[in-house]
Amino acid sequence: MTSSKIQDQEWDQLKELVSAILIHAGATGRTQLTENEQDLVALWKLEKEMQRGGFLHFFCSGGNAYFAHAKRCLDKLGAKKCARIITAAFQIIARVTKGFLNVPLNEIPVYLSEEELERLNELDEEYRKYSMDIRKQLPGLFESRSAI
């Protein structure tokens, strides 16, 4: 089996696990999940949005609420480079969201400079390069959800 097929299977397993967690949470919502479950859901959200459009897409679709959990999950997985990269991206976004308290998420790009947008694109590429490290750690997540 090729490396990309294995990674696709790992991604599918992560999606299935997160779906099961969210279904189990039901109407109680994400806040009723354990800390570890919230971290895993946040990692899934990060990975999904990175595939769709990068950090800008992640943060514009509510990623601020997931940031701390995603970073903590990356730290637990030992994905130090990815944790550093997401923190750098968050700092760029935080300048806008903390400076303008009522900025709608979809308007964040309007308030970023060209340099910040370019830096986010660089961080997207850097994250994607190292995110394969995360996928290598995924099998361990399925063996014991409590390990995350």
Side-chain angles (χ1 to χ4, degrees):
M1 192 174 302
T2 67
S3 176
S4 65
K5 285 189 180 197
I6 291 170
Q7 290 167 355
D8 288 344
Q9 284 180 335
E10 291 164 349
W11 175 247
D12 290 342
Q13 288 177 317
L14 178 61
K15 287 192 304 189
E16 289 173 18
L17 181 57
V18 168
S19 294
I21 289 169
L22 293 175
I23 288 168
H24 178 70
T28 60
R30 191 172 61 89
T31 59
Q32 297 303 311
L33 299 174
T34 68
E35 181 179 285
N36 289 340
E37 289 171 333
Q38 288 183 38
D39 292 352
L40 185 57
V41 169
L43 176 65
W44 169 77
K45 172 83 169 161
L46 171 64
E47 288 293 303
K48 181 179 79 166
E49 298 304 343
M50 289 304 293
Q51 290 178 6
R52 289 183 172 172
F55 285 118
L56 200 52
H57 201 274
F58 174 68
F59 288 110
C60 287
S61 63
N64 281 0
Y66 292 95
F67 167 74
H69 289 286
K71 183 182 178 308
R72 184 172 46 232
C73 194
L74 291 169
D75 288 337
K76 288 176 184 179
L77 289 171
K80 294 176 185 176
K81 291 176 184 173
C82 289
R84 179 188 51 78
I85 295 165
I86 189 177
T87 300
F90 178 75
Q91 289 170 343
I92 293 170
I93 300 299
R95 181 194 65 79
V96 173
T97 57
K98 288 182 181 175
F100 304 96
L101 297 178
N102 295 317
V103 173
L105 295 175
N106 64 340
E107 291 184 15
I108 290 172
V110 173
Y111 296 96
L112 296 173
S113 69
E114 273 302 313
E115 293 81 19
E116 289 169 321
L117 290 169
E118 286 176 28
R119 180 65 181 136
L120 282 173
N121 285 330
E122 291 168 2
L123 291 168
D124 288 347
E125 292 305 314
E126 193 176 345
Y127 182 87
R128 287 181 185 115
K129 182 170 82 174
Y130 293 115
S131 69
M132 293 305 151
D133 294 341
I134 297 167
R135 294 195 176 193
K136 290 175 187 172
Q137 300 294 326
L138 290 178
L141 292 177
F142 308 121
E143 292 168 11
S144 171
R145 283 194 342 212
S146 64
I148 61 167

